[in-house]
Amino acid sequence: MNGMGDDTVNTQHNDSDTLLRGITSPADVKALSGEQLHELCREIRRTLLDYGHLHGGHIGSNLGMVEATVALHKVFDSPRDRIVFDVSHQSYVHKMLTGRAAAYLDADRFGEVTGFTNPDESEHDQFVLGHTGTSISLACGLAKTRDMEGPASGIGNVVAIIGDGSLSSGVAFEGLNNAAEQGGNIIVIVNDNEMSIAGDFGGMYGPLARLRASGGTAQPNLFEAFGFDYRYVERGNDVDALVDAFAEVKDIDHPVVVHIHTLKGAGYAGGQAADTAASGEIAGHDVADERAASAVNPGNDTGVKPTENIAHAEPWHSDHCNLSDHEPHEGQCEASHWQNPDSSLGRPDDPRKHYGKLAMAALEPRFATEPGLVVISPATPGSNGITHEFRECAGAHYVDTGITESHAVAFAAGIARAGGTPVVATTASFFQRAYDQFFQEMSLNRSRVTVLDFLGGLSGSDNTHSGAYDVAMFANIPGVTMLAPTSQSDFLAGLAWATMPAGVAGAPDGPVVIRVPGEPILAAERDTSLLPLTGGRGIANVCGTAGDHSDTDMLSWRVTHVGARVALIGLGNTYPLAERAAVELAEHHNIDATVIDPRQCSTLDTAALESLRAEHELVVTLEDGQLEGGWGEKVTAYYANHRIADGCGDGTGHAEHTSGNPRVMNFGAAKEFTDRIPLAELNERYGLTVPAIVAAVTQQRRTVLN
C-alpha cells in the first residue's frame, strides 16, 4: 500500500464545534469549502469521542465513516437522493449532518435520537434498521419504483452503504445478484475496514484483501463477477478523495460498487495504546487515564494500515483487547464495536457475558474427548461471553460464520446429522433471521442442535433488538424444547442435558433452545433477598404429589412453595417476581400462594396443572415476553378446554370456594414494538410488578367470593 501520509486523519481540534453546530441540513455541508470540510470532520470526530465517553454507543464504526458521510452529503442531494445505511449503526454522522447534531453535542439531549436510522426522526432516514445485509435489497426496491414511475417518483440517486462484515450475510449476496440484473442507477458503497464485529470470516475476504493490496485491480473481483461497474478508493478517510469518487458516480446510469478502504475507530489512540490494551495494562487506570487512552492523539498517524494477511492463509482475527468495551482503539479492535460510557466502568458483567462465559467454561473441558462438539457464533461472540481466550483454546471447536444466522443454523443441522454436537449462540432478535431454518433444517429433521438464546425477554433495548418475541417464536415450533432456567445451576444443567450424546438414556430427541437468564435472574443470584421464599437455596420438586416427577426430568415443573387458593407461575426471568408477589400476598392479605418455576415453555406439565384444581381458585402466569402467542395463554387454554363438572377438584369437598376449574390471569407484554424504554417502565406498563399483581389477585378473589 502507498499514500499513507496522504490518508492521515487530522484529529487536531480547535476546542470549538462552530461548524457542526451550524449544520442544520445537507445544504449547509454543500456550502462549505474544502478546508471547511476538513475542519468539520475534525469537529465531528471530537464530538463522537466525547459522546462515547459520556453516553456510549457504536463509536468505532462511526469514527471510520466520518469522511465518507461528510462526502456523501457534500455530493448527493438527500432526501431526493436516497441514502440507505446497512445496519445503520454507523449513521451517527449522518444524523449530525441532517439537523440532529445537538443530540450528540448537548448531554441533556442525548436521548433525542436512536442509535439507528429512523424515518420518524427525519426525512433523510429511509428505514428503521438494526440488522445487517439488507441495504442493497432495499436500494433495489427504491430504484425499481423510481425507474417505473420516472421523475414523478421524486427519487434521484439510490445509494446503499454496506460494510465488509455485512457482506457475509446471505441477503447481501441476494441483493447484489438482483441489483446487477435490474440495472439503472444503483450505487453500492462498500465500507471496507477489514473488520466485522469480531473478525471477518468467509472465503470472500481473501479476494477482498487482494483487491485492497492491488489498488482494486486484482482478479477475481467478486463485484465485477456479479456484473457491477467497480471503483476503488484507497484513501477512505480522505474527504477530498471521497468527494471526487462520489462525484464521478453521481447520476450514473448503471449499477456500480465504490469500494472504500477505511480505518475502523479512526481517531481513537492507536499503536502503543492498542498494545497496552491488548496486554491489559490499562485496566487499573482511573477514568481520566481511560479517557486519555482513547482520546484523539494529534501526533498519531491514523492512516489506513496494511493487514499482512493478504493471502488469507489463516482465519481472520481481531486483536486481543478482549472485549472490555472501554478500551477501544483504531483498526481491528473488537472492543470498539460497542463503547460503554465511562460511568459504567468497573461494573460486573451483564447477564449475556456472565452466563455466556459460564457456558463456554462448561463446554471447553469436553473438547478433548468430544471431537464433534462445536460452538457456532454468527458474529457477536464477545457480546455473549465467548472471549478471545475461549476461542483460542477451542481452536477448530469454535466457528464464527460471520453475520449469517440462517447459514449458522443450517450448518449446525448438518453437524448434528453427521453425529456431532453443535451449540449455536447469538442474540434472540438475530435468531429471527433464521426462522425458516429452525423449522426446516433443524426441527423437521429432528436435528440435535442446542441453541443459546441471549437477551430474550423484555429489555430497554431499541426497537430492532428487542427479545420480547423469542418465546412466541421458539416455543411454537414443533419438536423444539425451550428451557427457561432460573439459576446458574439450572442453566448449566440444561446445557449438559441438551448436549448429551445421542442415544444416551434421558437425552433429548430433538433440538433444544435454552433461554439464557437475564438481569432479574442474575440480580437474584447476586442478592438472594430478591428470592424471599427460597433465598436461592436448592429446592425440592414437590410436584410428585400430582405425578411421578423428578429433578432430573428437565420438562417437569418445579413447585418451590406449596400453598392454596392462588398459584403464581413465573416463567424464566419473572420467577423472582413470583416469589416477591407471594410474600406480599402472605404478609398483607393472608393468602398463602403456591409458587411454581415451570423451567420450560414448550410443553405444559399437565400433572402439575391438574394438581392445582382441588385447592386453587386462581392461577396467575407471569412472563417477560409477548403475551399473544406466548406461554401464559396456553395455561389459560388448558383449563378452558379441560373443564370439569363444578365441585371440588378432587371430589373430597374440603377445599373452600374451589370449583376445580381455576380462573387464569396472564401477565406479560403487549404485542408492540418498544424503543429504548427502561425495563422498569415496561414492567409498570405491563403490570409485571408486585403491586400490580397483588392488586389484580386480590380484586379477582373478591369477585370470586362474591
Side-chain angles (χ1 to χ4, degrees):
M1 295 183 183
N2 51 38
M4 292 294 294
D6 295 333
D7 194 31
T8 299
V9 176
N10 190 340
T11 56
Q12 298 184 57
H13 193 61
N14 296 332
D15 296 322
S16 169
D17 42 53
T18 304
L19 280 176
L20 182 56
R21 285 191 181 275
I23 300 295
T24 61
S25 74
D28 296 321
V29 179
K30 295 181 185 303
L32 298 179
S33 67
E35 182 178 345
Q36 287 175 314
L37 289 180
H38 285 266
E39 174 57 26
L40 177 61
C41 291
R42 287 189 285 269
E43 292 182 14
I44 291 171
R45 187 161 274 110
R46 175 73 266 171
T47 298
L48 285 169
L49 290 165
D50 288 343
Y51 181 79
H53 284 293
L54 294 171
H55 185 266
H58 290 101
I59 308 302
S61 54
N62 281 279
L63 287 169
M65 278 292 290
V66 170
E67 289 76 18
T69 310
V70 169
L72 279 169
H73 284 297
K74 176 69 173 178
V75 172
F76 293 100
D77 302 307
S78 178
R80 182 178 181 274
D81 290 335
R82 306 298 177 90
I83 301 173
V84 183
F85 288 88
D86 202 272
V87 188
S88 85
H89 68 304
Q90 79 283 44
S91 65
Y92 296 9
V93 184
H94 163 78
K95 293 192 176 193
M96 293 181 196
L97 302 180
T98 53
R100 291 166 278 179
Y104 299 89
L105 289 163
D106 302 329
D108 60 350
R109 300 183 65 179
F110 283 169
E112 288 185 355
V113 299
T114 73
F116 304 88
T117 55
N118 188 333
D120 291 339
E121 289 180 11
S122 171
E123 64 179 346
H124 298 280
D125 292 5
Q126 298 303 308
F127 300 95
V128 177
L129 294 172
H131 290 178
T132 189
T134 60
S135 62
I136 303 171
S137 298
L138 293 167
C140 286
L142 292 169
K144 180 67 173 178
T145 300
R146 176 202 61 203
D147 296 343
M148 295 294 287
E149 295 185 356
S153 71
I155 301 174
N157 293 270
V158 176
V159 182
I161 301 162
I162 187 167
D164 55 324
S166 296
L167 281 174
S168 66
S169 184
V171 68
F173 278 85
E174 294 172 24
L176 287 170
N177 188 52
N178 186 84
E181 181 177 87
Q182 179 172 312
N185 172 277
I186 300 175
I187 301 168
V188 178
I189 298 173
V190 175
N191 173 31
D192 183 356
N193 58 31
E194 307 179 50
M195 186 74 187
S196 182
I197 294 168
D200 278 332
F201 291 91
M204 72 178 180
Y205 290 107
L208 205 61
R210 289 188 285 274
L211 277 172
R212 292 193 301 268
S214 66
T217 62
Q219 294 295 328
N221 181 317
L222 66 94
F223 306 110
E224 291 178 347
F226 271 108
F228 280 82
D229 190 359
Y230 173 82
R231 316 289 175 84
Y232 179 71
V233 182
E234 168 63 24
R235 300 193 306 277
N237 292 107
D238 180 338
V239 69
D240 296 325
L242 291 165
V243 167
D244 290 344
F246 295 161
E248 287 182 7
V249 298
K250 184 180 181 181
D251 299 325
I252 199 167
D253 64 357
H254 57 273
V256 61
V257 166
V258 182
H259 178 187
I260 65 174
H261 188 199
T262 66
L263 180 67
K264 187 171 185 177
Y268 282 135
Q272 183 177 356
D275 295 338
T276 304
S279 66
E281 295 174 10
I282 292 179
H285 291 192
D286 60 21
V287 170
D289 292 328
E290 295 283 357
R291 293 193 63 151
S294 60
V296 174
N297 182 352
N300 181 44
D301 172 13
T302 57
V304 176
K305 317 294 195 293
T307 176
E308 298 182 357
N309 196 15
I310 301 301
H312 203 61
E314 59 183 83
W316 208 273
H317 291 287
S318 63
D319 58 41
H320 289 255
C321 54
N322 206 28
L323 324 172
S324 64
D325 295 337
H326 60 266
E327 295 168 1
H329 49 270
E330 295 175 330
Q332 291 177 298
C333 172
E334 192 167 337
S336 72
H337 170 65
W338 177 266
Q339 181 180 349
N340 281 335
D342 290 349
S343 60
S344 70
L345 299 182
R347 292 181 184 174
D349 282 344
D350 62 23
R352 296 168 69 186
K353 288 186 173 65
H354 177 81
Y355 291 106
K357 288 177 180 178
L358 288 174
M360 297 309 111
L363 294 172
E364 185 179 325
R366 298 169 54 180
F367 292 150
T369 57
E370 298 183 46
L373 180 59
V374 179
V375 174
I376 303 163
S377 175
T380 69
S383 300
N384 299 322
I386 305 175
T387 65
H388 279 292
E389 287 89 350
F390 171 81
R391 292 175 238 168
E392 292 300 318
C393 291
H397 290 273
Y398 170 74
V399 179
D400 187 324
T401 61
I403 305 175
T404 59
E405 293 83 1
S406 295
H407 163 68
V409 174
F411 174 51
I415 290 175
R417 178 65 174 172
T421 307
V423 178
V424 188
T426 198
T427 307
S429 65
F430 297 164
F431 273 133
Q432 293 164 188
R433 295 160 57 88
Y435 199 39
D436 187 56
Q437 283 66 45
F438 283 124
F439 265 98
Q440 298 287 321
E441 285 74 17
M442 188 179 80
S443 300
L444 185 61
N445 283 278
R446 308 298 300 153
S447 302
R448 285 289 310 283
V449 175
T450 299
V451 175
L452 295 183
D453 169 32
F454 288 85
L455 205 61
L458 297 177
S459 71
S461 67
D462 67 274
N463 51 10
T464 73
H465 288 76
S466 173
Y469 324 107
D470 63 331
V471 169
M473 176 174 71
F474 284 120
N476 287 316
I477 300 175
V480 168
T481 298
M482 185 173 188
L483 305 181
T486 57
S487 67
Q488 170 181 318
S489 59
D490 275 358
F491 172 62
L492 294 177
L495 178 62
W497 176 71
T499 57
M500 289 173 66
V504 173
D509 64 353
V512 177
V513 175
I514 305 175
R515 198 190 210 208
V516 177
E519 184 57 40
I521 302 300
L522 182 55
E525 296 204 279
R526 289 170 171 167
D527 178 4
T528 55
S529 69
L530 297 175
L531 292 169
L533 282 178
T534 63
R537 300 182 303 275
I539 44 184
N541 183 347
V542 298
C543 278
T545 58
D548 184 16
H549 296 277
S550 69
D551 257 349
T552 58
D553 178 1
M554 301 303 297
L555 304 185
S556 66
W557 291 6
R558 176 189 290 143
V559 177
T560 58
H561 178 77
V562 178
R565 297 188 287 179
V566 175
L568 301 173
I569 312 177
L571 179 69
N573 293 329
T574 63
Y575 175 76
L577 176 62
E579 283 204 16
R580 294 197 295 275
V583 169
E584 180 72 11
L585 286 168
E587 292 180 351
H588 296 96
H589 300 278
N590 195 33
I591 298 173
D592 182 21
T594 294
V595 180
I596 299 177
D597 173 7
R599 307 169 72 195
Q600 53 88 12
C601 53
S602 46
T603 62
L604 295 179
D605 186 340
T606 57
L609 290 175
E610 289 296 323
S611 75
L612 298 177
R613 287 188 186 274
E615 302 287 344
H616 298 79
E617 69 219 25
L618 180 63
V619 174
V620 178
T621 68
L622 310 175
E623 59 191 301
D624 70 328
Q626 182 175 301
L627 268 179
E628 191 170 333
W631 166 76
E633 289 183 341
K634 298 176 183 178
V635 177
T636 301
Y638 178 81
Y639 283 120
N641 293 327
H642 297 82
R643 293 185 61 82
I644 62 173
D646 284 351
C648 294
D650 62 355
T652 64
H654 71 274
E656 182 184 4
H657 300 300
T658 62
S659 68
N661 296 303
R663 297 194 181 191
V664 183
M665 300 179 67
N666 305 132
F667 288 80
K671 186 172 69 174
E672 62 176 346
F673 292 114
T674 60
D675 185 24
R676 300 169 299 142
I677 298 174
L679 179 57
E681 185 176 333
L682 288 177
N683 286 333
E684 289 284 347
R685 174 185 298 185
Y686 302 136
L688 290 167
T689 65
V690 170
I693 294 166
V694 169
V697 168
T698 54
Q699 175 61 39
Q700 182 69 24
R701 287 209 73 239
R702 283 194 293 270
T703 301
V704 171
L705 293 175
N706 290 334

